Amino acid sequence: MPRRGPNNGADKRNRILRAAIRIFSQKGFFNSKVSEIARASGVADGTIYLYFKNKDDLLISLFEEKMGDVVAGVRQRISAGGDALAKLRIFIDNHMELLEREAGLIEVLQVELRQSKKFLKDYTPVKFFEYLEVISDILEEGKREGLFRPDLNVSVARRAIFGALDELCLTYVLSHNPKYHPSVSSAEIYRILAGGLCAAKPSAQAG
Amino acid sequence: MPRRGPNNGADKRNRILRAAIRIFSQKGFFNSKVSEIARASGVADGTIYLYFKNKDDLLISLFEEKMGDVVAGVRQRISAGGDALAKLRIFIDNHMELLEREAGLIEVLQVELRQSKKFLKDYTPVKFFEYLEVISDILEEGKREGLFRPDLNVSVARRAIFGALDELCLTYVLSHNPKYHPSVSSAEIYRILAGGLCAAKPSAQAG
DNA sequence: CTCCGGTGAATGGCGGTTCATTCATGGAAG
DNA sequence: CTTCCATGAATGAACCGCCATTCACCGGAG
C-alpha cells in the first residue's frame, strides 16, 4: 500500500473512478455516499474533492471518460470490417459482451445516464452521442451498399437499436437469467434487425 | 385508505398522485420534495402520509396504479384485433401515442421505473411485467399463425421491442425534435420489426 | 360535546462539502 | 553526509443546509 508519493495523482484519480463505478452500480447515484466511495477507493473524503468538483462532476467524468473508451473500442473492432450487416453484428456483440467485461460500468450508464440526460443541468452526453454515431455510420453504409432499405430512417433506427440492446442488458443485469445471456440476446436481436420478426422470405435464408 | 369524507377521500388521493407524476417527471424522484408535491396538489405535507406510507410508497403506488390503466387500455385496443402484425402495430402506436396523452406518466415510468427495478428493495413491478406479457401474447399468436418465425425467441424479442419503444419515447421527451415524433417513430419501428433493416427481397414485395 | 381528517411548523439525522491540520517529500544549506 | 524547511497532497471531523417524517393542534360534521 503506497501511502504517499508525488506521482500517485493519476493513479489515485483512477482508483476513485473505479470505486465510484462499483458503488454507483450497486446502489445508484443518489443512494451512494461520497464517504463510501472514499472508503472503497482507500482515500479520504476530502481527497475526492481534489480530483472532482463535486459528486455530480464525479458522475459526469465517469460517463465521459469510460464511455470514451467504449466508443474507441467498438470503432476499432468495427474497422476490421465486412459489409454493414457484419459490422452491425460486431456492434451488437460488442455491446452485449461489455456486460461481462465491464458489468458495473454498463449498469451505471444504463440507469444513471438516463437520469442525467434529463436532470443534470447543462450536461450533454457527448460520448453517448458518439456511440450512437457509430450506429448511424453502419446504417448509412448499409444504405449506400444497397444492403439496407433506402427509406430507412437512420435517426430513429439507431435509437431503436440502442434501446433494444440497452433493455436486454438491463434485463440480464437484474435477473442473471441465462435465457437473457448476452450471447443469446445478441443473436436474437441481430436476427430481428436483419430480417424482422416474420417467417422466412423466399430469398433470405441464412443457414 | 382513509375514505371518510363525503367524496373527498379518493379524490384527494388522486390529486396527490397526479401532482406526483407532474413533479417527478419534471425533476426526478430524488430531486422532488414531498412538500412540493403537497403544494402542487393543494394539500398539506402531512396529508400525503395519510394516503401513502412514505415517499417510496408514493412512487410505487403511482407505478402500479397508472401502469395498470395503461395495460388495461392497450389490452382493450388490441382485442379489436386483426392478425399478429396488426396487433403489433396497434401496440406500438398505442405506446408512442401515450407520450402525448400521458407525457408525464411516461416520463416517470421511463426514468424512475428503471431506478426502482434496481434499487427499491422488495419491489417487483407487477404491472410492468403484465405490459411485457401483452407483447408476448402477440408474438406467440404470430408464431401460431405461422406469421412469425417459429424460432423467434419471445422472451428476448419482447424486451427488444419494449426497449426500442422506450428509447424513442425518451428521445422525444428530451428533444421534442419532430424527427422523433411519435407517429414517425412508430412507423419506422414497425417497419423494422416487420421486415428488418434490409432492402426488399425479390418476392416479398407488393408495392 | 366527540371524532377524525387535515394541517404545517418543528424535528432529527443524514450526507455533501469544507478547511484547519498533518506529514512525506525533495531540495537547499552546512 | 545530515539537518532543516517549504511545499502541497492528503486527511477526516465538523459543519450546515436540507428534507422526509412526525405530531400537537384545529375545525367542521354528526
Side-chain angles (χ1 to χ4, degrees):
Chain A
M1 292 237 292
R3 310 266 141 147
R4 301 227 168 207
N7 58 356
N8 280 357
D11 175 55
K12 196 161 289 189
R13 190 187 148 92
N14 259 316
R15 287 220 316 274
I16 295 171
L17 277 178
R18 242 170 312 165
I21 291 176
R22 197 163 65 252
I23 306 287
F24 286 160
S25 74
Q26 278 164 17
K27 335 181 76 167
F29 178 73
F30 287 103
N31 297 316
S32 300
K33 297 169 223 172
V34 172
S35 59
E36 274 180 299
I37 295 168
R39 190 165 1 103
S41 43
V43 146
D45 295 15
T47 305
I48 289 181
Y49 292 85
L50 296 177
Y51 294 92
F52 303 94
K53 213 154 80 314
N54 52 34
K55 194 185 173 189
D56 281 7
D57 182 50
L58 178 53
L59 181 64
I60 291 175
S61 304
L62 187 162
F63 284 158
E64 294 299 310
E65 294 175 30
K66 296 301 173 184
M67 196 71 198
D69 296 347
V70 169
V71 170
V74 73
R75 278 234 170 88
Q76 166 145 15
R77 284 190 62 178
I78 280 175
S79 69
D83 65 10
L85 263 180
K87 288 180 178 169
L88 182 64
R89 181 68 207 243
I90 294 173
F91 184 90
I92 292 170
D93 287 348
N94 186 73
H95 187 98
M96 296 302 296
E97 282 166 16
L98 281 176
L99 204 45
E100 305 193 292
R101 281 187 287 127
E102 302 259 27
L105 174 61
I106 293 292
E107 292 176 50
V108 176
L109 293 175
Q110 270 165 351
V111 179
E112 308 302 338
L113 183 57
R114 215 160 240 246
Q115 283 268 350
S116 308
K117 282 192 280 193
K118 204 156 175 334
F119 304 118
L120 253 60
K121 304 305 168 202
D122 51 67
Y123 164 58
T124 40
V126 178
K127 293 297 173 184
F128 172 72
F129 286 132
E130 278 185 34
Y131 195 60
L132 289 178
E133 207 57 46
V134 176
I135 309 182
S136 305
D137 290 347
I138 295 174
L139 297 181
E140 295 289 6
E141 182 184 325
K143 282 169 83 163
R144 259 183 280 114
E145 285 172 350
L147 197 55
F148 293 161
R149 279 186 282 118
D151 66 325
L152 184 69
N153 182 331
V154 172
S155 301
V156 172
R158 69 177 182 177
R159 292 280 183 169
I161 293 171
F162 175 78
L165 293 172
D166 196 44
E167 177 69 22
L168 264 306
C169 281
L170 181 64
T171 301
Y172 187 66
V173 160
L174 292 179
S175 72
H176 267 212
N177 187 326
K179 74 180 179 178
Y180 300 112
H181 188 277
S183 61
V184 176
S185 295
S186 58
E188 184 61 36
I189 292 176
Y190 175 75
R191 249 176 285 146
I192 292 173
L193 291 174
L197 302 171
C198 293
K201 316 264 188 342
S203 78
Q205 292 293 56
Chain B
M1 327 323 125
R3 265 173 168 274
R4 258 320 276 257
N7 55 1
N8 277 358
D11 176 54
K12 194 161 291 189
R13 188 187 149 92
N14 259 316
R15 286 218 319 273
I16 296 171
L17 278 177
R18 242 172 310 165
I21 291 175
R22 196 162 66 251
I23 305 287
F24 286 162
S25 74
Q26 278 163 17
K27 336 182 75 168
F29 178 73
F30 286 103
N31 296 315
S32 300
K33 297 169 227 175
V34 172
S35 60
E36 276 180 298
I37 295 168
R39 189 165 1 103
S41 43
V43 146
D45 295 15
T47 305
I48 289 181
Y49 291 84
L50 295 177
Y51 294 92
F52 302 95
K53 212 154 80 320
N54 53 34
K55 195 185 172 190
D56 282 7
D57 182 50
L58 177 52
L59 181 66
I60 291 175
S61 303
L62 187 162
F63 284 159
E64 294 300 310
E65 294 176 29
K66 296 302 173 184
M67 197 70 199
D69 296 348
V70 169
V71 170
V74 73
R75 277 235 169 88
Q76 166 146 16
R77 283 191 63 180
I78 280 176
S79 69
D83 64 10
L85 263 179
K87 287 180 179 171
L88 182 63
R89 181 69 207 243
I90 294 173
F91 183 89
I92 293 170
D93 287 349
N94 185 74
H95 186 99
M96 296 303 295
E97 282 166 17
L98 281 176
L99 204 46
E100 304 193 293
R101 282 187 286 125
E102 302 258 28
L105 175 61
I106 293 293
E107 293 176 51
V108 176
L109 292 176
Q110 271 165 351
V111 179
E112 308 302 338
L113 183 57
R114 214 160 240 246
Q115 283 269 352
S116 309
K117 281 192 279 192
K118 203 156 173 337
F119 304 118
L120 253 58
K121 304 304 167 205
D122 50 68
Y123 164 58
T124 39
V126 178
K127 293 296 174 184
F128 172 72
F129 285 132
E130 279 185 33
Y131 195 59
L132 289 178
E133 207 57 46
V134 177
I135 309 182
S136 304
D137 290 349
I138 296 174
L139 297 181
E140 295 289 6
E141 182 184 325
K143 282 170 82 163
R144 259 184 279 112
E145 285 172 350
L147 197 55
F148 293 162
R149 280 187 281 116
D151 66 325
L152 184 69
N153 182 331
V154 172
S155 301
V156 172
R158 69 177 183 177
R159 290 281 182 170
I161 294 171
F162 174 79
L165 293 172
D166 195 46
E167 177 69 22
L168 265 306
C169 281
L170 181 66
T171 301
Y172 186 67
V173 160
L174 291 179
S175 72
H176 267 212
N177 187 325
K179 75 180 179 179
Y180 300 113
H181 188 277
S183 61
V184 177
S185 295
S186 59
E188 184 60 37
I189 291 177
Y190 174 76
R191 249 177 285 143
I192 292 174
L193 291 175
L197 302 171
C198 293
K201 317 282 191 318
S203 79
Q205 208 52 350

mmCIF file with all atom_site columns, all heavy atoms in Angstrom, chain A residues 12 44 47 51, chain D residues 9-12:
data_model
loop_
_atom_site.group_PDB
_atom_site.id
_atom_site.type_symbol
_atom_site.label_atom_id
_atom_site.label_alt_id
_atom_site.label_comp_id
_atom_site.label_asym_id
_atom_site.label_entity_id
_atom_site.label_seq_id
_atom_site.pdbx_PDB_ins_code
_atom_site.Cartn_x
_atom_site.Cartn_y
_atom_site.Cartn_z
_atom_site.occupancy
_atom_site.B_iso_or_equiv
_atom_site.pdbx_formal_charge
_atom_site.auth_seq_id
_atom_site.auth_comp_id
_atom_site.auth_asym_id
_atom_site.auth_atom_id
_atom_site.pdbx_PDB_model_num
ATOM 1   N N     . LYS A 1 12 ? -4.475  7.746  -8.423  1.00 0.00 ? 12 LYS A N     1
ATOM 2   C CA    . LYS A 1 12 ? -5.478  7.939  -7.387  1.00 0.00 ? 12 LYS A CA    1
ATOM 3   C C     . LYS A 1 12 ? -6.826  8.328  -7.996  1.00 0.00 ? 12 LYS A C     1
ATOM 4   O O     . LYS A 1 12 ? -7.868  7.829  -7.623  1.00 0.00 ? 12 LYS A O     1
ATOM 5   C CB    . LYS A 1 12 ? -4.996  9.006  -6.397  1.00 0.00 ? 12 LYS A CB    1
ATOM 6   C CG    . LYS A 1 12 ? -5.765  9.017  -5.107  1.00 0.00 ? 12 LYS A CG    1
ATOM 7   C CD    . LYS A 1 12 ? -4.983  9.722  -4.012  1.00 0.00 ? 12 LYS A CD    1
ATOM 8   C CE    . LYS A 1 12 ? -3.789  8.910  -3.538  1.00 0.00 ? 12 LYS A CE    1
ATOM 9   N NZ    . LYS A 1 12 ? -3.164  9.478  -2.352  1.00 0.00 ? 12 LYS A NZ    1
ATOM 10  N N     . ALA A 1 44 ? -9.319  9.553  1.560   1.00 0.00 ? 44 ALA A N     1
ATOM 11  C CA    . ALA A 1 44 ? -10.147 10.313 2.494   1.00 0.00 ? 44 ALA A CA    1
ATOM 12  C C     . ALA A 1 44 ? -11.254 11.038 1.759   1.00 0.00 ? 44 ALA A C     1
ATOM 13  O O     . ALA A 1 44 ? -11.136 11.327 0.562   1.00 0.00 ? 44 ALA A O     1
ATOM 14  C CB    . ALA A 1 44 ? -9.293  11.310 3.249   1.00 0.00 ? 44 ALA A CB    1
ATOM 15  N N     . THR A 1 47 ? -10.245 14.033 -0.227  1.00 0.00 ? 47 THR A N     1
ATOM 16  C CA    . THR A 1 47 ? -9.382  13.806 -1.386  1.00 0.00 ? 47 THR A CA    1
ATOM 17  C C     . THR A 1 47 ? -10.181 13.794 -2.688  1.00 0.00 ? 47 THR A C     1
ATOM 18  O O     . THR A 1 47 ? -9.708  14.263 -3.723  1.00 0.00 ? 47 THR A O     1
ATOM 19  C CB    . THR A 1 47 ? -8.651  12.471 -1.231  1.00 0.00 ? 47 THR A CB    1
ATOM 20  O OG1   . THR A 1 47 ? -7.962  12.485 0.011   1.00 0.00 ? 47 THR A OG1   1
ATOM 21  C CG2   . THR A 1 47 ? -7.655  12.271 -2.352  1.00 0.00 ? 47 THR A CG2   1
ATOM 22  N N     . TYR A 1 51 ? -9.869  15.958 -6.868  1.00 0.00 ? 51 TYR A N     1
ATOM 23  C CA    . TYR A 1 51 ? -9.868  15.452 -8.229  1.00 0.00 ? 51 TYR A CA    1
ATOM 24  C C     . TYR A 1 51 ? -11.175 15.744 -8.978  1.00 0.00 ? 51 TYR A C     1
ATOM 25  O O     . TYR A 1 51 ? -11.211 15.711 -10.206 1.00 0.00 ? 51 TYR A O     1
ATOM 26  C CB    . TYR A 1 51 ? -9.597  13.946 -8.233  1.00 0.00 ? 51 TYR A CB    1
ATOM 27  C CG    . TYR A 1 51 ? -8.212  13.611 -7.746  1.00 0.00 ? 51 TYR A CG    1
ATOM 28  C CD1   . TYR A 1 51 ? -7.966  13.335 -6.411  1.00 0.00 ? 51 TYR A CD1   1
ATOM 29  C CD2   . TYR A 1 51 ? -7.132  13.627 -8.633  1.00 0.00 ? 51 TYR A CD2   1
ATOM 30  C CE1   . TYR A 1 51 ? -6.688  13.052 -5.968  1.00 0.00 ? 51 TYR A CE1   1
ATOM 31  C CE2   . TYR A 1 51 ? -5.847  13.344 -8.201  1.00 0.00 ? 51 TYR A CE2   1
ATOM 32  C CZ    . TYR A 1 51 ? -5.637  13.065 -6.862  1.00 0.00 ? 51 TYR A CZ    1
ATOM 33  O OH    . TYR A 1 51 ? -4.373  12.798 -6.428  1.00 0.00 ? 51 TYR A OH    1
ATOM 34  P P     . DA  D 2 9  ? -0.966  19.528 -4.726  1.00 0.00 ? 9  DA  D P     1
ATOM 35  O OP1   . DA  D 2 9  ? -0.085  19.714 -5.885  1.00 0.00 ? 9  DA  D OP1   1
ATOM 36  O OP2   . DA  D 2 9  ? -2.301  20.164 -4.671  1.00 0.00 ? 9  DA  D OP2   1
ATOM 37  O "O5'" . DA  D 2 9  ? -1.140  17.963 -4.485  1.00 0.00 ? 9  DA  D "O5'" 1
ATOM 38  C "C5'" . DA  D 2 9  ? 0.021   17.155 -4.376  1.00 0.00 ? 9  DA  D "C5'" 1
ATOM 39  C "C4'" . DA  D 2 9  ? -0.202  16.061 -3.349  1.00 0.00 ? 9  DA  D "C4'" 1
ATOM 40  O "O4'" . DA  D 2 9  ? -0.052  16.597 -2.007  1.00 0.00 ? 9  DA  D "O4'" 1
ATOM 41  C "C3'" . DA  D 2 9  ? -1.597  15.434 -3.403  1.00 0.00 ? 9  DA  D "C3'" 1
ATOM 42  O "O3'" . DA  D 2 9  ? -1.428  14.043 -3.165  1.00 0.00 ? 9  DA  D "O3'" 1
ATOM 43  C "C2'" . DA  D 2 9  ? -2.339  16.124 -2.260  1.00 0.00 ? 9  DA  D "C2'" 1
ATOM 44  C "C1'" . DA  D 2 9  ? -1.229  16.367 -1.246  1.00 0.00 ? 9  DA  D "C1'" 1
ATOM 45  N N9    . DA  D 2 9  ? -1.396  17.564 -0.416  1.00 0.00 ? 9  DA  D N9    1
ATOM 46  C C8    . DA  D 2 9  ? -1.727  18.820 -0.818  1.00 0.00 ? 9  DA  D C8    1
ATOM 47  N N7    . DA  D 2 9  ? -1.777  19.697 0.158   1.00 0.00 ? 9  DA  D N7    1
ATOM 48  C C5    . DA  D 2 9  ? -1.456  18.976 1.290   1.00 0.00 ? 9  DA  D C5    1
ATOM 49  C C6    . DA  D 2 9  ? -1.329  19.322 2.657   1.00 0.00 ? 9  DA  D C6    1
ATOM 50  N N6    . DA  D 2 9  ? -1.520  20.559 3.124   1.00 0.00 ? 9  DA  D N6    1
ATOM 51  N N1    . DA  D 2 9  ? -1.000  18.345 3.520   1.00 0.00 ? 9  DA  D N1    1
ATOM 52  C C2    . DA  D 2 9  ? -0.797  17.102 3.052   1.00 0.00 ? 9  DA  D C2    1
ATOM 53  N N3    . DA  D 2 9  ? -0.876  16.654 1.793   1.00 0.00 ? 9  DA  D N3    1
ATOM 54  C C4    . DA  D 2 9  ? -1.215  17.647 0.956   1.00 0.00 ? 9  DA  D C4    1
ATOM 55  P P     . DA  D 2 10 ? -2.716  13.072 -3.255  1.00 0.00 ? 10 DA  D P     1
ATOM 56  O OP1   . DA  D 2 10 ? -2.208  11.741 -3.641  1.00 0.00 ? 10 DA  D OP1   1
ATOM 57  O OP2   . DA  D 2 10 ? -3.788  13.723 -4.029  1.00 0.00 ? 10 DA  D OP2   1
ATOM 58  O "O5'" . DA  D 2 10 ? -3.157  13.016 -1.735  1.00 0.00 ? 10 DA  D "O5'" 1
ATOM 59  C "C5'" . DA  D 2 10 ? -2.275  12.416 -0.795  1.00 0.00 ? 10 DA  D "C5'" 1
ATOM 60  C "C4'" . DA  D 2 10 ? -2.884  12.521 0.580   1.00 0.00 ? 10 DA  D "C4'" 1
ATOM 61  O "O4'" . DA  D 2 10 ? -2.865  13.894 1.003   1.00 0.00 ? 10 DA  D "O4'" 1
ATOM 62  C "C3'" . DA  D 2 10 ? -4.345  12.062 0.674   1.00 0.00 ? 10 DA  D "C3'" 1
ATOM 63  O "O3'" . DA  D 2 10 ? -4.397  10.943 1.540   1.00 0.00 ? 10 DA  D "O3'" 1
ATOM 64  C "C2'" . DA  D 2 10 ? -5.096  13.281 1.218   1.00 0.00 ? 10 DA  D "C2'" 1
ATOM 65  C "C1'" . DA  D 2 10 ? -3.979  14.119 1.837   1.00 0.00 ? 10 DA  D "C1'" 1
ATOM 66  N N9    . DA  D 2 10 ? -4.215  15.561 1.847   1.00 0.00 ? 10 DA  D N9    1
ATOM 67  C C8    . DA  D 2 10 ? -4.498  16.365 0.779   1.00 0.00 ? 10 DA  D C8    1
ATOM 68  N N7    . DA  D 2 10 ? -4.639  17.640 1.086   1.00 0.00 ? 10 DA  D N7    1
ATOM 69  C C5    . DA  D 2 10 ? -4.447  17.681 2.455   1.00 0.00 ? 10 DA  D C5    1
ATOM 70  C C6    . DA  D 2 10 ? -4.456  18.724 3.399   1.00 0.00 ? 10 DA  D C6    1
ATOM 71  N N6    . DA  D 2 10 ? -4.687  20.007 3.076   1.00 0.00 ? 10 DA  D N6    1
ATOM 72  N N1    . DA  D 2 10 ? -4.214  18.412 4.691   1.00 0.00 ? 10 DA  D N1    1
ATOM 73  C C2    . DA  D 2 10 ? -3.978  17.137 5.019   1.00 0.00 ? 10 DA  D C2    1
ATOM 74  N N3    . DA  D 2 10 ? -3.930  16.063 4.221   1.00 0.00 ? 10 DA  D N3    1
ATOM 75  C C4    . DA  D 2 10 ? -4.177  16.406 2.949   1.00 0.00 ? 10 DA  D C4    1
ATOM 76  P P     . DT  D 2 11 ? -5.791  10.275 1.878   1.00 0.00 ? 11 DT  D P     1
ATOM 77  O OP1   . DT  D 2 11 ? -5.516  8.866  2.195   1.00 0.00 ? 11 DT  D OP1   1
ATOM 78  O OP2   . DT  D 2 11 ? -6.830  10.634 0.893   1.00 0.00 ? 11 DT  D OP2   1
ATOM 79  O "O5'" . DT  D 2 11 ? -6.137  11.023 3.236   1.00 0.00 ? 11 DT  D "O5'" 1
ATOM 80  C "C5'" . DT  D 2 11 ? -5.189  10.987 4.291   1.00 0.00 ? 11 DT  D "C5'" 1
ATOM 81  C "C4'" . DT  D 2 11 ? -5.700  11.832 5.431   1.00 0.00 ? 11 DT  D "C4'" 1
ATOM 82  O "O4'" . DT  D 2 11 ? -5.779  13.207 5.010   1.00 0.00 ? 11 DT  D "O4'" 1
ATOM 83  C "C3'" . DT  D 2 11 ? -7.109  11.459 5.881   1.00 0.00 ? 11 DT  D "C3'" 1
ATOM 84  O "O3'" . DT  D 2 11 ? -7.035  10.934 7.187   1.00 0.00 ? 11 DT  D "O3'" 1
ATOM 85  C "C2'" . DT  D 2 11 ? -7.901  12.774 5.836   1.00 0.00 ? 11 DT  D "C2'" 1
ATOM 86  C "C1'" . DT  D 2 11 ? -6.806  13.817 5.757   1.00 0.00 ? 11 DT  D "C1'" 1
ATOM 87  N N1    . DT  D 2 11 ? -7.153  15.072 5.022   1.00 0.00 ? 11 DT  D N1    1
ATOM 88  C C2    . DT  D 2 11 ? -7.202  16.252 5.722   1.00 0.00 ? 11 DT  D C2    1
ATOM 89  O O2    . DT  D 2 11 ? -7.006  16.340 6.918   1.00 0.00 ? 11 DT  D O2    1
ATOM 90  N N3    . DT  D 2 11 ? -7.516  17.354 4.960   1.00 0.00 ? 11 DT  D N3    1
ATOM 91  C C4    . DT  D 2 11 ? -7.760  17.378 3.594   1.00 0.00 ? 11 DT  D C4    1
ATOM 92  O O4    . DT  D 2 11 ? -8.013  18.427 3.023   1.00 0.00 ? 11 DT  D O4    1
ATOM 93  C C5    . DT  D 2 11 ? -7.694  16.106 2.932   1.00 0.00 ? 11 DT  D C5    1
ATOM 94  C C7    . DT  D 2 11 ? -7.946  16.028 1.467   1.00 0.00 ? 11 DT  D C7    1
ATOM 95  C C6    . DT  D 2 11 ? -7.392  15.021 3.662   1.00 0.00 ? 11 DT  D C6    1
ATOM 96  P P     . DG  D 2 12 ? -7.989  9.717  7.588   1.00 0.00 ? 12 DG  D P     1
ATOM 97  O OP1   . DG  D 2 12 ? -7.268  8.868  8.534   1.00 0.00 ? 12 DG  D OP1   1
ATOM 98  O OP2   . DG  D 2 12 ? -8.599  9.140  6.385   1.00 0.00 ? 12 DG  D OP2   1
ATOM 99  O "O5'" . DG  D 2 12 ? -9.122  10.519 8.372   1.00 0.00 ? 12 DG  D "O5'" 1
ATOM 100 C "C5'" . DG  D 2 12 ? -8.742  11.403 9.422   1.00 0.00 ? 12 DG  D "C5'" 1
ATOM 101 C "C4'" . DG  D 2 12 ? -9.933  12.277 9.782   1.00 0.00 ? 12 DG  D "C4'" 1
ATOM 102 O "O4'" . DG  D 2 12 ? -10.025 13.366 8.829   1.00 0.00 ? 12 DG  D "O4'" 1
ATOM 103 C "C3'" . DG  D 2 12 ? -11.287 11.560 9.697   1.00 0.00 ? 12 DG  D "C3'" 1
ATOM 104 O "O3'" . DG  D 2 12 ? -12.137 12.104 10.691  1.00 0.00 ? 12 DG  D "O3'" 1
ATOM 105 C "C2'" . DG  D 2 12 ? -11.815 11.968 8.336   1.00 0.00 ? 12 DG  D "C2'" 1
ATOM 106 C "C1'" . DG  D 2 12 ? -11.336 13.398 8.301   1.00 0.00 ? 12 DG  D "C1'" 1
ATOM 107 N N9    . DG  D 2 12 ? -11.271 13.973 6.980   1.00 0.00 ? 12 DG  D N9    1
ATOM 108 C C8    . DG  D 2 12 ? -11.347 13.345 5.765   1.00 0.00 ? 12 DG  D C8    1
ATOM 109 N N7    . DG  D 2 12 ? -11.251 14.156 4.750   1.00 0.00 ? 12 DG  D N7    1
ATOM 110 C C5    . DG  D 2 12 ? -11.102 15.403 5.333   1.00 0.00 ? 12 DG  D C5    1
ATOM 111 C C6    . DG  D 2 12 ? -10.952 16.680 4.735   1.00 0.00 ? 12 DG  D C6    1
ATOM 112 O O6    . DG  D 2 12 ? -10.917 16.968 3.538   1.00 0.00 ? 12 DG  D O6    1
ATOM 113 N N1    . DG  D 2 12 ? -10.822 17.692 5.693   1.00 0.00 ? 12 DG  D N1    1
ATOM 114 C C2    . DG  D 2 12 ? -10.838 17.487 7.053   1.00 0.00 ? 12 DG  D C2    1
ATOM 115 N N2    . DG  D 2 12 ? -10.712 18.554 7.813   1.00 0.00 ? 12 DG  D N2    1
ATOM 116 N N3    . DG  D 2 12 ? -10.978 16.304 7.614   1.00 0.00 ? 12 DG  D N3    1
ATOM 117 C C4    . DG  D 2 12 ? -11.101 15.313 6.699   1.00 0.00 ? 12 DG  D C4    1
#
